[in-house]
Amino acid sequence: MGRGSSGIGAGPYGAGMENGAGEAGTTIKSSNPLTDEIGKKGGGIYANDIMNTRDAMEREYGSAVKDLSLHVATFGDNSALGAYGDNTVYMSKHVRNANLTQAMQAAANSGFHPGLGGKSGAEAVSAHEISHHLGQVAAKKAGISEQEIVARAASKMGIKTENMAGHISKYARTNFSETIAEAGADVHCNGAKAAKASIAIMSEVKSILK
């Protein structure tokens, strides 16, 4: 995820990484375990929000989350806010806490990302990245594509698969992997007030994983 037109605002996530590069060309220049941040100024709040998100999503979706590693990273694209790859969630070393929440709120206000529901930017971004992991693990376990996960949820709602993302956020329209990731962030942040499409998609993911 990166900056939008406002300079700090949220833009494309650097997710779905292969060989260290995200969809938006995001590369990881360096990273270290998230726990290293706890003793740093402001790092404790940032780290705790991310770790609490992982713990909450493990309770919700089961052991698929348990083996995830959490790192902070310097990205080749300094606008990136988060990325996922190789069972690791990477969060920005440089844009965090108040600035990150401000960025995500601005993006939510424009419909680019789901609303925060009172959560911090760190919680929203990490929930999105963790949901990439959940989508991939669920698809692999069921022997289907992430598109098929969205299609199953769409069928139960009685709408077209290609229309699901539009009910969640602008960024969810990027591809089906991002649709699931945005749905996961929406459900984590907004609970029962999340978009019905988000709830349907994550219910499908949960039914496969649990």
Side-chain angles (χ1 to χ4, degrees):
M1 172 184 161
R3 299 179 185 179
S5 58
S6 64
I8 300 177
Y13 290 85
M17 296 167 51
E18 294 181 6
N19 300 321
E23 288 177 19
T26 301
T27 57
I28 294 173
K29 297 173 69 175
S30 65
S31 72
N32 55 277
L34 180 68
T35 50
D36 291 355
E37 296 295 296
I38 292 175
K40 298 179 181 178
K41 184 178 180 180
I45 296 171
Y46 185 62
N48 285 335
D49 278 356
I50 297 164
M51 291 188 289
N52 288 340
T53 298
R54 181 189 60 185
D55 292 347
M57 295 185 80
E58 182 179 345
R59 290 192 295 271
E60 183 69 21
Y61 300 101
S63 61
V65 180
K66 189 173 183 179
D67 295 330
L68 267 178
S69 295
L70 302 175
H71 280 230
V72 289
T74 298
F75 299 111
D77 173 3
N78 63 11
S79 69
L81 302 180
Y84 165 77
D86 298 327
N87 291 334
T88 302
V89 166
Y90 299 92
M91 297 289 290
S92 174
K93 283 186 178 182
H94 306 293
V95 184
R96 58 190 192 178
N97 292 351
N99 284 343
L100 180 53
T101 298
Q102 179 186 18
M104 290 302 294
Q105 188 60 62
N109 290 345
S110 70
F112 194 81
H113 291 306
L116 296 183
K119 295 287 198 295
S120 70
E123 290 171 293
V125 175
S126 57
H128 175 103
E129 303 304 344
I130 291 168
S131 296
H132 270 298
H133 177 73
L134 293 173
Q136 290 181 19
V137 172
K140 184 176 181 179
K141 181 177 180 181
I144 59 176
S145 66
E146 289 180 282
Q147 179 176 346
E148 179 58 27
I149 292 174
V150 177
R152 289 181 180 185
S155 178
K156 291 176 181 177
M157 289 186 66
I159 65 177
K160 293 181 178 180
T161 303
E162 58 267 28
N163 291 340
M164 289 288 279
H167 292 277
I168 301 170
S169 71
K170 294 175 183 177
Y171 190 61
R173 299 172 183 168
T174 305
N175 55 46
F176 290 107
S177 178
E178 299 298 348
T179 302
I180 293 174
E182 288 285 82
D186 189 12
V187 170
H188 177 72
C189 290
N190 297 294
K193 294 182 179 180
K196 291 181 180 179
S198 296
I199 293 171
I201 289 168
M202 296 314 294
S203 293
E204 197 64 39
V205 169
K206 186 175 179 178
S207 71
I208 294 170
L209 294 176
K210 282 205 158 184

